[in-house]
Each structure stands twice: as structure tokens, then as C-alpha cells.
Amino acid sequence: MPEPKKSPFADRYVNREYSWLKFNERVLEEAANERNPLLERLKFLAIFESNLDEFYMVRVSGLIEQFESGIIEATPDGFTPSEQLDLISREARPLRAKAGKLFESTLRPQLIEAGIEILDYSRLTDGQKKSLRTTFRQDIFPLCTPLLLHPAPSLPFISNRSLNLAVLLEDGEGAQKLARVKIPTVMPRAIRLNKRRHEYVLMEDIIRENLHFLFPGVKILGAHMFRVIRDADVEIRLLEAEDLIETIEESLRRRRFGDPVLLEAATGMPKSVRKTLMKLLCLEESDVFDVDGLIGLDVLWEFTGIDKAALHFPNHVPYLPDAINDERKLLKTLQTTDILLHHPYDSFRPVQQFVNAASTDKSVIGIKQTLYRVGSESPIVEALLDAAEEGKQVAAMVELKARFDESNNLVWARALERGGAHVSYGFPELKTHSKLCLIVRREPDGIRSYVHVGTGNYNPSTARLYTDLGLFTSDEEITQDVVELFNFLTGFSKQTNYRKLLVAPFGLRQAILNKIHREIDLHRKHGGGRLIFKQNAVVDGEIIDALYDASQAGVQVDLICRGICCLRPGVTGLSENIRVISIVGRFLEHSRILYFANGGTPEAFIGSADLMRRNLDRRVEVLTPVQNPDFVAHLRDGILEVCLKDNCQAWELKSDGKYVRRQPRTSEGRFSAQEYLMANPTTKILIG
């Protein structure tokens, strides 16, 4: 007898995979949100699919590996790998169908109304077809390589996330064969028909209409789109590696050839073709999405750059006060006070200037920096190279295990080494995820150090799209902590204790637990207990249990958690004093803040760590105290309370694991935290 189906909820925890799917559903809802401009809705739809692809490439592939290895151990919420795979299949399939329907039924007609149209080939004029035939022969035909799939002596490799046509053929004797034509990626997929109008035709339609040039003399029975998602969570085994860079490069090569985990097939595909693809890829029925409409929603990125201002969010110009608008003013200000920045509301330029000072300021004699995700073009790394060329001491801790950014990081690491910088690559068993930059300066009264500690990557592009915090300080204890942490990262230091920084994996977990229990004790003595945590994810069971303890003691707990949250709020006797919201809006909520009321002497920390086991136990993470009382008050009242007030972009987590979008009450107006932070002058740069 089969086991009875379990609820995706245990008594205390929400299933992690279920919670992530609910997050991606909130992203999809922003694509459906009519308050968002049309081309921004296309972005949300493209992000939804990119998220789902990565989820299958990493999380689902990992569960499949566990299942095939015979692992039956259940997660804290009570699910085995097999049961989680069933849960994901049930939840993800209708989500992808909803995304397809949203585009075809809602967004596509609205694009047409806005003068942007993807034309069906049958609607083209004879002149347009003739022109596209020429385009095919000259530009596309040389890039196409038809490969026989079945019957074939061996299966040609079908690359991850590639778009393909499964072409059903009939030979001269009536036997059917199946071939594959990959849609080239070196050209835009959406081909514009003329410069005056935004009319496009998709490349796969051009290829489909010209298949006779690829298969001359062969009867073509049909051509059907499909896409394959592969396991990309290749374990990078470094413990026994003699050459770190060679090991990373080999792992990147192996990632391309991961096992298939998902097949997306056009709904019109004949059952025989579908079954053949499933057999060739070794996939089950539960591993197939039948897609009605557009396959490969990432093509929508090609339309988001169309220059129609009314279809985009209004332009936002980040704030930059005159007091810190160049390297000289920035460092002079830091001699007497800390600086707290809130991106993208505040400009990222001071962070770049801080790094630039290493090369432009003759008094700066050294710079050390962690690099996790810096992008394919990086003015930050260019500034480090300039500093090295100027003869300054430059040290960079480059994390080569930053998933899907390994290749970029390898390129920059080699460039830094060639430029004369000291480059280290961290530890085989730990990722370095902390965001730190230290500059050392010779001043009239001696050597002085300055530090930037951030919640986000040193990437100017994402700094315009992600909400992040950055603290500049010359506090002697914090700067000395950072110096000693870099010695641990780049050398053979065994230091585990720090003065003011909370550092994982050494003491961060216990420090957070101690502060939660201190809040409980103070509340029992004096009342007024309050915890406000802003995170990307809340997953760690030990931290969740401590928050339950706080709730049961009467402490008010507010969690602002964009993504996964395995805590169940509002459960009588367990978490009735816990409230959880998720904000999904124009900017990706990425900043991490921990606020403790602390019996009337509030404390706040910012940094790189989420409340997940991997962050607390398997990464080098840093949280820094925000020591200026005005800064702490601003974090609470100017950011956290503002987020908690949101009734437009905020979704509230219920005890059953589902989210409900907040709506303005009759007595209150519409309030968007992100819109408020863009417009309200009280949220600008704080200079203590």
C-alpha cells in the first residue's frame, strides 16, 4: 500500500523547497501586477524562469542525487527526498503553466497595444518572408548543425538550457527518424523586421520555415520546440586538489555535462517524439513540463531594453551628498565619523571611490578586499589593478566557489596576479562570503586603517538593483578585527576570537543565540522585548527554535524575509508573537539587519550572513555592529519599520506556509516601502 500523502508542513517548520517555490510565485505575481510598467513585468517573468531553472539545476538535482543514493532521511519538516521531489513536481508544474498563460493571454496582447509585437510567421508578407529567407541563408544557416537523435549510434549532447527543434523526418522507405537543431545563441533570438516599428519574429520560426535547406530531399513531418535543464550543482572537490585553479576549471567543464533533470516540451509535440526524448534523456513523466506557448522566457530580456520610458519604472537617481563625493572628502570625513549608506537609494559611488583611493591617494599604502561576485566588468577590480601598478600593497581574497560566477572570478584572479597583487582563494571547506574592504593610510599622526563592511557584493551593476547597506568606519577595534580576519583568510592564522565583529563559522551562530536569549531575559525583567531581523532566508532550525522561545516569552518578533522562511508564524502556544513579511518589488531586497531592543539600549548589526546553516557553519561571514545610536535608530525607524509598514509590495506569511499580499485598509493609504525610501529625504546618507 502506498504511503499516505503528507502535508508540506510539520508542526514547527515549513518545507524549504515549498517555501522557495512560494517565493518564486511572488516574483511571478509581480509580472502579473498591473501597477508595474509593462516592460518591467516582462523582467519579472524572465526572472521567474531564471529562478526556476536554477532551482532545478541545483536543488532538484541534489534531491535526485539523494534519492538515487538511497537516502531516506527526512528533513526537519518530515519529508524524504522522494517526497520532496513529488511535492516540487506538484507545485512547480502549475506555476510554469501560469507563467506561460500570463504571457500569452495578458502580456502579449498588452505589448501589441504598446506597439511591440512578436509576429507569427503566417502573418508575414511575402516580401518579409523573402527577406528572412535571405537572412537565414546568409547568417543563420552556417550556424545550424542538424544532429540525428534517433536512431543514432550515440546520443548527441544537448546542452543545458539550450533551445532546440525536434525535427521528425521520414526517409525514402517510410521509416521515421528524429533529428535535433539547436537554436543559435550568438544572435538575438527576436529578429527585428524593420527599424521603424517594434515588430519581431523569433529565430526558431525562421529556422522552422527553412528546414528544407538543412534537410534537402528529406520529407519533414514536423518540428517541435524543447528545452533541457541539467544538473549544474557540480561538487568542487578541493580537499585533495593539488592545483586549485585547474580543479575549478575542470569542475566548470563537468557542469556543462550534468545529468538532465527537466524536459520542457511544446504541447503540440507528438507523443512518440516526447517519449523518445524522455527515453534518450532518461527522464520520467514527472520530469517533463508540457509548455503551452513560449518556451524559453529568457527571450523577454531582449525586449526590456526598448526605449519607451512610459513602459519602464521612472528613473531613479541615487543620492550623493557633496561631503563625500570624491576620495579626498570621503577619507577626511571618515577621520572623524562613520558613514552608513543604503543602496540603491544612496549612491554606490563612495564605495568605488574608497577603492579608488588606494591608487589615487598617495598617503594610502595598502588595500585588502574580499571578492565574491564582481561581474564580467568590474571597476572595483580595475581600481585594485591600478593600485598594484602604483606600487601599493594589494591583497585580494577571491572566492572561486561562488556558484555560476566561478569563470568571471578566475579571469579577475589571474589579472590581479599578473598585476602584482597578492591573491588568495580561501579554503577548500569554506566559502568566503563576507564583504570587506580595508585600506591602510599613512597620516601625520601615524598609520591609520579604514574599513567598509557591506551586505552586498562589490558590483556597481547590482548595487543599482539590490537593496544593500554599507558601513564605513575607522574604529580601531573593528579595523583591527578586519586586519586579523584577512590574516586568517590569506595566511595561516588560527584566530577565532574577535573584538567587535561577529564572524562565522567561529562564533556568529552562538552570538546570535546569546543575544536572542538575552532579549528574552530582559523582557521577563522589564518588558518591551523586540527583535527585528531583515534577511534573505530564515532556515536554520536552531535559530528558529530560539525565536519560538522568544515568542513564547512574550517578545515581539518581526521578520522581514524576502525568500525562504521555514518558520511558522502565528501558531498558538508557539509563535503567536512572530510576524513574517516578504517584500518583492522593483529592487531585490538583499540587506541583512539584526536589531535587538536590548532593554532600552538598542543594538543593530549588518552584514553578509543569512540565518541558514550554510552561512553560519560553512562560510566565512561577518556581521559588524552599528555603533552610532543615531544610525541604530535610523536602521529601526527609517528602514525596518518602514518595511513593516508596507501594504503594497509586502506579503504576509501565514501559519500554513502560504503568503497573502497585504492590501491597504480602508482607513489608510497605499504605502510602498521602496517608493518611500526613494522619495523621502530623511532616508539619505547618514554621517555621524
Side-chain angles (χ1 to χ4, degrees):
M1 180 181 295
E3 291 185 9
K5 291 183 179 179
K6 291 185 180 180
S7 164
F9 320 107
D11 291 338
R12 298 173 69 87
Y13 308 108
V14 176
N15 178 265
R16 171 182 171 151
E17 317 307 341
Y18 179 88
S19 183
W20 185 91
L21 287 165
K22 288 300 174 186
F23 157 66
N24 209 32
E25 185 175 16
R26 297 194 294 281
V27 175
L28 181 58
E29 286 298 322
E30 289 308 302
N33 187 351
E34 294 184 355
R35 285 188 173 274
N36 292 325
L38 182 57
L39 294 181
E40 304 295 341
R41 294 168 71 183
L42 293 190
K43 285 184 185 178
F44 280 114
L45 197 53
I47 291 169
F48 164 83
E49 175 155 284
S50 177
N51 287 348
L52 192 60
D53 285 355
E54 186 171 331
F55 179 70
Y56 269 82
M57 288 155 58
V58 177
R59 297 298 303 177
V60 174
S61 66
L63 290 169
I64 291 172
E65 184 176 342
Q66 291 179 39
F67 172 72
E68 292 179 346
S69 299
I71 295 174
I72 58 174
E73 182 180 352
T75 55
D77 52 277
F79 274 73
T80 65
S82 175
E83 291 167 333
Q84 290 185 86
L85 289 170
D86 290 342
L87 169 65
I88 290 167
S89 181
R90 290 197 303 271
E91 294 290 334
R93 191 184 305 275
L95 272 184
R96 181 55 182 85
K98 183 178 179 180
K101 184 177 180 181
L102 173 64
F103 178 73
E104 296 296 339
S105 301
T106 303
L107 297 181
R108 193 166 188 165
Q110 291 184 16
L111 285 170
I112 294 173
E113 290 181 12
I116 303 169
E117 186 168 10
I118 302 174
L119 294 170
D120 292 331
Y121 211 88
S122 60
R123 291 185 51 202
L124 302 181
T125 66
D126 291 341
Q128 288 172 325
K129 291 178 181 178
K130 182 179 179 181
S131 176
L132 288 174
R133 190 174 304 116
T134 300
T135 298
F136 175 81
R137 295 297 301 269
Q138 292 179 351
D139 300 332
I140 301 174
F141 179 81
L143 299 174
C144 294
T145 305
L147 295 170
L148 190 63
L149 288 179
H150 182 76
S154 62
L155 176 64
F157 180 72
I158 302 173
S159 52
N160 186 32
R161 302 178 78 182
S162 64
L163 289 168
N164 308 273
L165 284 170
V167 185
L168 191 60
L169 307 168
E170 184 178 281
D171 64 19
E173 299 177 356
Q176 292 188 0
K177 299 181 183 296
L178 186 64
R180 170 246 188 172
V181 177
K182 179 180 177 180
I183 308 303
T185 58
V186 295
M187 295 172 61
R189 183 178 165 196
I191 307 297
R192 191 169 180 178
L193 293 175
N194 63 66
K195 295 181 179 180
R196 290 180 297 170
R197 292 192 298 273
H198 287 288
E199 293 180 341
Y200 302 83
V201 63
L202 296 179
M203 185 183 291
E204 59 262 32
D205 291 339
I206 299 174
I207 295 174
R208 184 185 282 112
E209 293 298 321
N210 290 278
L211 283 173
H212 55 281
F213 291 113
L214 294 170
F215 301 97
V218 180
K219 186 176 181 181
I220 300 170
L221 301 179
H224 311 277
M225 286 286 289
F226 73 95
R227 195 169 76 114
V228 177
I229 305 299
R230 291 182 174 273
D231 177 1
D233 192 27
V234 176
E235 183 178 359
I236 300 176
R237 300 181 182 276
L238 303 178
L239 292 174
E240 301 174 359
E242 294 183 4
D243 187 319
L244 177 65
I245 291 180
E246 183 178 328
T247 302
I248 294 288
E249 289 175 332
E250 175 58 27
S251 298
L252 292 177
R253 285 191 289 269
R254 286 191 290 117
R255 175 180 287 166
R256 293 181 54 243
F257 298 96
D259 291 336
V261 294
L262 180 69
L263 168 66
E264 291 185 349
T267 52
M269 180 180 288
K271 291 183 179 179
S272 60
V273 174
R274 187 176 181 275
K275 287 182 178 179
T276 299
L277 289 176
M278 288 171 57
K279 183 177 180 180
L280 292 173
L281 296 168
C282 300
L283 294 175
E284 304 293 331
E285 187 64 40
S286 59
D287 304 321
V288 182
F289 286 176
D290 294 308
V291 178
D292 187 11
L294 190 63
I295 291 182
L297 295 174
D298 54 346
V299 70
L300 300 180
W301 284 112
E302 297 181 22
F303 299 96
T304 58
I306 290 175
D307 186 14
K308 291 197 174 195
L311 304 184
H312 292 279
F313 286 126
N315 187 40
H316 169 62
V317 179
Y319 180 69
L320 178 63
D322 181 68
I324 57 173
N325 68 0
D326 62 38
E327 291 93 331
R328 180 184 56 82
K329 293 178 181 178
L330 175 65
L331 293 177
K332 184 178 180 180
T333 301
L334 279 174
Q335 290 173 357
T336 58
T337 185
D338 293 351
I339 298 172
L340 181 67
L341 301 177
H342 189 194
H343 314 298
Y345 313 110
D346 300 327
S347 174
F348 190 72
R349 184 176 168 187
V351 180
Q352 294 176 256
Q353 291 168 340
F354 188 68
V355 183
N356 288 341
S359 61
T360 60
D361 188 325
K362 296 186 183 300
S363 296
V364 173
I365 56 178
I367 181 168
K368 299 182 179 184
Q369 187 162 11
T370 58
L371 299 173
Y372 191 73
R373 299 188 195 276
V374 295
S376 57
E377 297 181 4
S378 175
I380 295 287
V381 181
E382 295 288 356
L384 294 176
L385 289 168
D386 291 342
E389 290 175 3
E390 290 292 323
K392 309 294 180 69
Q393 289 291 114
V394 178
M397 177 32 249
V398 182
E399 180 50 75
L400 294 183
K401 302 186 295 297
R403 183 183 287 129
F404 304 127
D405 273 286
E406 299 97 337
S407 182
N408 281 337
N409 289 3
L410 273 173
V411 170
W412 287 122
R414 286 171 167 152
L416 286 164
E417 287 182 327
R418 289 194 302 269
H422 302 289
V423 180
S424 62
Y425 302 104
F427 309 96
E429 69 280 9
L430 297 172
K431 280 187 180 181
T432 300
H433 190 248
S434 51
K435 323 299 183 185
L436 301 170
C437 184
L438 167 81
I439 65 173
V440 182
R441 195 170 187 265
R442 183 182 289 113
E443 298 183 353
D445 56 349
I447 300 297
R448 190 169 187 179
S449 296
Y450 301 86
V451 162
H452 173 267
V453 183
T455 67
N457 297 304
Y458 290 104
N459 187 326
S461 297
T462 56
R464 294 191 292 269
L465 304 173
Y466 293 11
T467 71
D468 273 306
L469 290 158
L471 178 72
F472 290 103
T473 184
S474 59
D475 178 274
E476 291 185 2
E477 290 186 296
I478 291 178
T479 57
Q480 189 61 30
D481 276 351
V482 172
V483 169
E484 294 173 4
L485 181 56
F486 269 108
N487 290 341
F488 167 75
L489 292 172
T490 61
F492 195 66
S493 167
K494 296 293 185 179
Q495 182 163 332
T496 58
N497 296 315
Y498 296 87
R499 298 162 186 80
K500 291 184 177 178
L501 296 183
L502 307 182
V503 181
F506 306 120
L508 177 56
R509 170 189 291 279
Q510 194 57 52
I512 294 172
L513 290 170
N514 290 345
K515 291 179 184 298
I516 293 173
H517 288 294
R518 180 193 63 186
E519 197 71 24
I520 293 172
D521 293 339
L522 289 170
H523 178 76
R524 285 173 173 160
K525 292 177 183 177
H526 309 292
R530 183 88 186 276
L531 300 171
I532 313 176
F533 292 175
K534 186 174 186 296
Q535 295 281 297
N536 295 331
V538 177
V539 176
D540 185 81
E542 192 173 8
I543 299 292
I544 289 174
D545 288 345
L547 294 174
Y548 286 154
D549 291 341
S551 172
Q552 292 168 47
V555 175
Q556 178 61 45
V557 180
D558 285 297
L559 302 180
I560 304 161
C561 181
R562 183 196 80 225
I564 306 168
C565 184
C566 295
L567 177 149
R568 296 181 62 192
V571 178
T572 303
L574 179 70
S575 57
E576 61 261 59
N577 291 313
I578 301 179
R579 174 175 52 168
V580 181
I581 67 165
S582 168
I583 294 177
V584 180
R586 171 176 180 171
F587 303 124
L588 180 83
E589 291 293 336
H590 193 253
S591 54
R592 291 93 162 184
I593 308 170
L594 299 183
Y595 171 84
F596 305 86
N598 192 30
T601 309
E603 279 188 346
F605 295 81
I606 66 169
S608 54
D610 287 308
L611 299 180
M612 305 177 73
R613 182 182 175 189
R614 72 183 188 191
N615 297 88
L616 301 175
D617 299 338
R618 301 195 301 270
R619 290 184 174 186
V620 179
E621 303 274 16
V622 168
L623 295 184
T624 184
V626 178
Q627 300 179 108
N628 186 313
D630 290 338
F631 288 11
V632 174
H634 174 70
L635 289 174
R636 180 193 62 213
D637 300 330
I639 298 178
L640 297 173
E641 295 287 8
V642 168
C643 290
L644 291 171
K645 188 180 174 183
D646 193 303
N647 59 21
C648 296
Q649 304 300 138
W651 296 72
E652 193 151 352
L653 175 60
K654 301 301 181 181
S655 59
D656 63 359
K658 297 179 181 178
Y659 286 80
V660 176
R661 186 193 285 273
R662 282 183 172 176
Q663 301 290 341
R665 297 186 183 94
T666 305
S667 60
E668 64 183 7
R670 178 180 178 274
F671 184 83
S672 163
Q674 292 188 354
E675 291 176 7
Y676 174 87
L677 291 168
M678 280 190 285
N680 196 298
T682 63
T683 65
K684 301 307 181 185
I685 292 179
L686 290 172
I687 301 176

